[in-house]
Each structure stands twice: as C-alpha cells, then as structure tokens.
Amino acid sequence: MRNDFHLEIRRLFALTIACLFIGLLTSNVLVVLLLGSLLYIIWTLFQIRQLENWLRNSRLSSIPDASGIWGNIFDSLSREKKRQLREKKRYKKVINRVETMTASLNDAIILLDADHTITWLNKSSRTMLALKKADVGSPITNLIRNPIFVSYLAQDDHELPLILPSNNNIEQRLEYRINYFGNNEVLLIVRDVTRLYRLEQMRKDFVANVSHELRTPLTVIGGYLETMNDYHSLEESWKKPLEQMQQQAKRMTVLINDLTMLSKLETEELNKAPISVPVRPLLEMIINEARTISDKKEQTVELECTTDFNILGNDRELHSAFSNLIMNAIRYSPAKKNIIVKASHNFTGGADVKVIDKGIGIEQHHIHRLTERFYRVDSSRSIETGGTGLGLAIVKHILVRHDARLNISSRINQGSTFSAIFPKERIEN
Ligand code: ADP
C-alpha cells in the first residue's frame, strides 16, 4: 500500500515535471500545468467511474485493471468481495442443512416475532397444523384460533406444555411448547402426542377400573372377617391371624379409596361453577374429625384464623386436601407435639392455609418427590401409621385443580410446614 502510494506520488511528480518542461519549451507554463492537472483529474474520475461500475456489477471477473493506488484499491475490494462470497456460500449451506433437518422432523416448528407474527415455519407445520408458506407474516392467533391456545400464548408462564385436540382430527392430541429466544422471539414446537395421551388414558382407566372392581370383593372379605372375629366360640389360636387379616383388609380399603379418589381427580373435570367454601368452619370440622387420633397422642391441633375468607372451589376436595395435611402432621409428629393450622391472606391478595408441626421433619432431598404416588421417606413408618403413600399426590392434584400450589419447608427433627397457596382469583372475603 505504501509502495503504491509512493508510485502515485512519483507519477504525479513526473507529470508535473513533464508539464513544466513542455511549458518552458512552449513558454506557457501555467496553461500546460493546468492542462496536466485536468488530465490527472480526468484520469482519476475515470478510475472512480470504473470502481463504481464494478461495485454495481457484482461479477468478480469484471474487476477493472489498474496500476498504482487504484490497482491496490481494486485488489483489496476484490479480495474482500471474494471473502464475502465464500462466507455467503458457507451460510447458505448451513441454512440449507438446517432447513432439510427441520423438514425431516415430525414436529412442527414455527418461529414467531415478539408480536406473535409468523416469521418462519417448517414442512411439518403445514401438514400438522394446516399452515401454508404464505402464512408467514400473519399473526399465529389468526390461524390457530382456539381460545385456550390464545390465552396460553399470552400468559407469562410456559413451563408446562399445552395439550389440545387437533383441529383436523378430534382423536389426535397436539402438545404445544413455547420457548423464548433473541429479542423476545418465540420458538413454538408442536408435537403429536396422541399415542402417549392414549397410553396415559389407558393407565387412568385401568387404575379406575381395578380400584372399582376390587371394592366389592374387599367389602365381602372385610364383612366375613368382622363376623368371624365376633364369633364367641372362636378358637384362641385364630384370634390373632383374624385380627391381622382384618387390619390388612382395612388398609387395602383405604388404599383403594385413595386410588379411586386420585383417578377421579385425574379424569373428572372440576365443577364449572365452583362454590364458595368458608375456610374457618371447614378447618374446624377437620380438626374435630382428627381429634380421635390427636387425643390418643396427647396432641392439640390449634387453629389460627386471622381473617375469615372463602375459597372458590369444591368443598369435598378441599376437605380431603386439608384433612390429608393435618392427618400427616399428626402422624409424623411424636406424642405431645402440638400442631398449628394457620389460615390467612397473603401479600398477593390470595390466601395461605398452613399446617405447621414440630415432628420428625423431612430431609431436603426428599421434598421435591413427596407428591409422587407411593413416594415415602420411610415406608415402614408410613405403613405403620396407616399411610398409603398417596396422600400428598391427592393434595397436589386438588390444589392444581384450584389453581393453587403446595409449598413444603422442613427441617429434620424440628418439624415441617405444608402451605397451600391460593391465588386471589380463588379467594372471596
Ligand atoms: P403417606 O400415606 O405415606 O403419609 P403421603 O403422600 O401423605 O403418604 O406422604 C408422603 C411421605 O411424606 C410420607 O410417607 C412421609 O414420609 C412424608 N411426610 C408427609 N407429611 C409429613 C410431615 N408432616 N412430616 C414428616 N414427613 C411427612
């Protein structure tokens, strides 16, 4: 570059000397110098024009031929252009690969901008959702009009996917997942989950049917065992086995009741018109019912209800959820360790129902699994206290049906607090 610049200076110098020489010879120094400068300007303009032409015409082969600084500028630009072309080819290849990859996917993939307008969609979205290439540029809510999808897209929390029947086929179930990237843009992935949905449905039906079918034989067995136990002339050696059989039959009945309750919660829709359930009388009733067990353990269950409020929902389900929490607190606390049940508004405008015990506590690593079916920290202790391992699964299901959540905090040997947290939409003052 430096050399070319020097060459250009030398060229200008030589032109000036030549002009001076001719000027002296013709005794017209000024005119010849002026003509020389004009010539240089015309030549420079010619080079600029060539450059402009070449820049406009993207063909690499047509690069102008020039020497000196102009040749250097043309060479540098040509090198840059070649590099850009190579990059462009590379990116095109990557884009083609991504496009073929996404086209081979069975899942529908749709990109939306921050206003939920479609910016790109893959082949499967055309077959699965009946979208067209021409739909790019249209708001997704104009094309997928299901109000449940529209409100799901508008909400802030997309941790859980949405499952909806397909518009094309009522039997087909589609799962919608939303992920955010870039500048609040949305990656919408739609999967066909019909097979999984059917399996899940079969599992639910199976559990519901088995629980239902076992109920009658168990009632008969329980009835006979009770009659036999009351039989006066029964041999002494039969008494203990019969008692144990009766105990196990009772345990099975409790288990079947819990399983039936769970499958009902899974399959039946919550009442469309919820009723207003006063919380204080409900908790008082449960505490009264639990008294037979708490009295045996010399425990008191104290109710602290700072303000009265109602929960909009199903009274039977709420009874079952709070009853499970209170019974657990009694069962997993040693004798004489009292329990507190607190019901109060919280700072969000919703309300909390807390069951606080000073019992055995739960190690931190168990806490996130407690609401799984049959998950027990210590199964022998749970069975000993008459637990089925389904109580907290039932609580969680009921709370979810009431748009509420369960918060558990606990310290080993110091006690636990189980809080049912209801949103303000579910609370009536
Ligand atoms: P279970 O019928 O076994 O009590 P749950 O689903 O109600 O089943 O509870 C699951 C497990 O959580 C229990 O087995 C017990 O280990 C633990 N747990 C529940 N509540 C308490 C509590 N208040 N204190 C200590 N552990 C608890």
Side-chain angles (χ1 to χ4, degrees):
M1 186 77 181
R2 250 180 96 82
N3 285 346
D4 290 319
F5 189 66
H6 285 159
L7 179 71
E8 203 58 37
I9 297 285
R10 277 206 297 276
R11 186 182 278 165
L12 202 60
F13 188 67
L15 182 68
T16 317
I17 297 287
C19 286
L20 274 176
F21 183 69
I22 298 169
L24 283 173
L25 276 183
T26 55
S27 351
N28 252 332
V29 180
L30 260 177
V31 175
V32 176
L33 267 177
L34 208 72
L35 276 174
S37 310
L38 208 67
L39 211 70
Y40 188 74
I41 290 171
I42 290 170
W43 179 75
T44 308
L45 280 175
F46 173 71
Q47 300 294 352
I48 292 175
R49 176 135 191 264
Q50 264 194 315
L51 175 65
E52 201 240 341
N53 270 345
W54 179 69
L55 284 176
R56 221 171 323 127
N57 172 1
S58 61
R59 270 185 299 126
L60 263 177
S61 52
S62 61
I63 179 162
D65 210 9
S67 63
I69 189 101
W70 285 105
N72 206 299
I73 290 172
F74 291 154
D75 283 350
S76 303
L77 284 173
S78 146
R79 266 200 306 277
E80 184 56 26
K81 207 164 183 174
K82 273 184 191 154
R83 201 184 60 80
Q84 274 183 9
L85 273 177
R86 269 200 310 274
E87 289 282 284
K88 205 168 150 184
K89 268 189 193 156
R90 206 164 62 84
Y91 286 135
K92 223 173 175 175
K93 241 181 173 170
V94 173
I95 290 171
N96 283 345
R97 266 176 76 85
V98 172
E99 277 198 334
T100 36
M101 244 164 61
T102 51
S104 69
L105 283 177
N106 291 329
D107 300 347
I109 298 177
I110 303 158
L111 298 187
L112 310 174
D113 66 13
D115 299 326
H116 299 156
T117 300
I118 301 176
T119 54
W120 183 85
L121 43 85
N122 73 340
K123 205 169 136 195
S124 295
S125 47
R126 290 174 229 158
T127 44
M128 199 184 284
L129 300 164
L131 297 177
K132 300 182 291 295
K133 237 185 175 171
D135 291 330
V136 170
S138 310
I140 186 91
T141 44
N142 284 2
L143 304 157
I144 306 176
R145 289 166 179 266
N146 189 325
I148 303 174
F149 172 78
V150 175
S151 62
Y152 176 71
L153 188 63
Q155 76 191 34
D156 293 330
D157 181 14
H158 294 114
E159 209 183 306
L160 293 175
L162 172 74
I163 297 178
L164 288 176
S166 154
N167 272 354
N168 308 337
N169 172 5
I170 193 81
E171 294 287 304
Q172 193 185 29
R173 286 291 183 285
L174 300 179
E175 178 197 79
Y176 296 79
R177 268 187 191 277
I178 284 176
N179 301 285
Y180 287 93
F181 70 98
N183 199 7
N184 222 12
E185 285 157 276
V186 177
L187 168 68
L188 173 65
I189 303 174
V190 188
R191 280 175 65 206
D192 183 346
V193 289
T194 314
R195 211 175 65 84
L196 278 176
Y197 182 81
R198 282 208 192 115
L199 279 174
E200 181 69 7
Q201 216 57 33
M202 271 163 63
R203 181 192 63 78
K204 286 177 188 169
D205 291 348
F206 176 75
V207 175
N209 290 338
V210 166
S211 320
H212 182 75
E213 293 301 327
L214 283 176
R215 196 182 284 274
T216 319
L218 246 180
T219 318
V220 176
I221 292 170
Y224 275 123
L225 286 172
E226 215 174 309
T227 325
M228 285 165 82
N229 222 2
D230 291 344
Y231 202 53
H232 293 298
S233 58
L234 191 73
E235 260 184 54
E236 199 55 37
S237 59
W238 273 101
K239 278 213 161 135
K240 196 157 168 73
L242 267 177
E243 229 166 66
Q244 274 177 0
M245 277 192 247
Q246 219 175 342
Q247 253 176 23
Q248 293 305 320
K250 271 188 192 145
R251 228 173 77 72
M252 275 176 83
T253 313
V254 176
L255 196 65
I256 282 167
N257 286 344
D258 276 2
L259 274 174
T260 312
M261 173 89 181
L262 250 183
S263 51
K264 267 193 185 152
L265 290 172
E266 280 183 334
T267 47
E268 282 176 15
E269 272 200 26
L270 187 66
N271 274 351
K272 284 274 184 289
I275 60 163
S276 190
V277 185
V279 169
R280 188 197 289 270
L282 178 68
L283 292 173
E284 279 170 351
M285 182 164 81
I286 298 169
I287 292 170
N288 243 336
E289 287 165 1
R291 193 147 284 152
T292 38
I293 303 172
S294 60
D295 282 354
K296 263 190 214 156
K297 293 181 78 176
E298 295 176 60
Q299 293 164 330
T300 60
V301 184
E302 199 181 309
L303 177 63
E304 285 181 15
C305 216
T306 43
T307 46
D308 278 322
F309 60 87
N310 296 1
I311 298 176
L312 289 173
N314 179 304
D315 53 347
R316 278 184 42 229
E317 289 186 14
L318 288 171
H319 179 284
S320 166
F322 298 146
S323 169
N324 264 306
L325 293 180
I326 293 171
M327 290 306 287
N328 274 353
I330 297 171
R331 290 209 315 250
Y332 297 106
S333 296
K336 294 183 185 162
K337 292 277 184 193
N338 299 336
I339 287 120
I340 300 172
V341 180
K342 263 189 191 170
S344 58
H345 284 92
N346 61 28
F347 67 95
T348 62
D352 300 344
V353 175
K354 294 185 180 180
V355 180
I356 307 161
D357 67 56
K358 296 187 183 70
I360 58 169
I362 308 153
E363 276 178 289
Q364 208 57 33
H365 65 273
H366 290 295
I367 289 184
H368 71 284
R369 299 198 57 190
L370 290 184
T371 53
E372 287 173 21
R373 284 146 210 252
F374 298 112
Y375 189 84
R376 290 146 162 150
V377 174
D378 176 352
S379 64
S380 57
R381 186 171 195 141
S382 158
I383 292 167
E384 198 181 289
T385 55
T388 59
L390 294 171
L392 291 180
I394 292 176
V395 173
K396 188 189 160 188
H397 263 85
I398 294 174
L399 293 186
V400 168
R401 281 157 74 86
H402 287 79
D403 308 317
R405 62 190 172 85
L406 180 67
N407 191 48
I408 307 169
S409 64
S410 186
R411 292 184 78 174
I412 199 86
N413 292 330
Q414 293 195 23
S416 316
T417 300
F418 285 75
S419 313
I421 303 165
F422 293 85
K424 68 167 183 276
E425 296 74 29
R426 287 274 174 181
I427 301 301
E428 256 187 10
N429 298 311

